[in-house]
Amino acid sequence: MNPIHLLRMARIARHPPSRSRVLLVAAVVVICLALAGLERLGLVPGGALVDPGGTAPKVRPLP
């Protein structure tokens, strides 16, 4: 394990996050899981999905 991670864990153990921060992170995780579940069930409209083919404009080299 990287020593930086150990230092971070020690800091979190000494100064735990506030209740509101924990609830915020939990809410974001629940929303992400709900969206993933809806997409997996096929309940997301087609316009809300990302095209895996890539819609970025093609960049050509300068002549």
Side-chain angles (χ1 to χ4, degrees):
M1 181 177 273
N2 193 345
I4 298 288
H5 294 288
L6 292 173
L7 291 174
R8 249 185 223 169
M9 287 189 296
R11 192 183 108 226
I12 290 172
R14 288 187 193 113
H15 305 286
S18 66
R19 180 181 174 97
S20 60
R21 174 70 56 104
V22 172
L23 291 175
L24 175 69
V25 171
V28 169
V29 169
V30 167
I31 290 170
C32 290
L33 289 174
L35 288 174
L38 289 174
E39 183 179 358
R40 187 161 196 118
L41 292 173
L43 299 175
V44 179
L49 298 176
V50 176
D51 181 19
T55 57
K58 303 291 184 205
V59 178
R60 293 180 291 150
L62 293 173

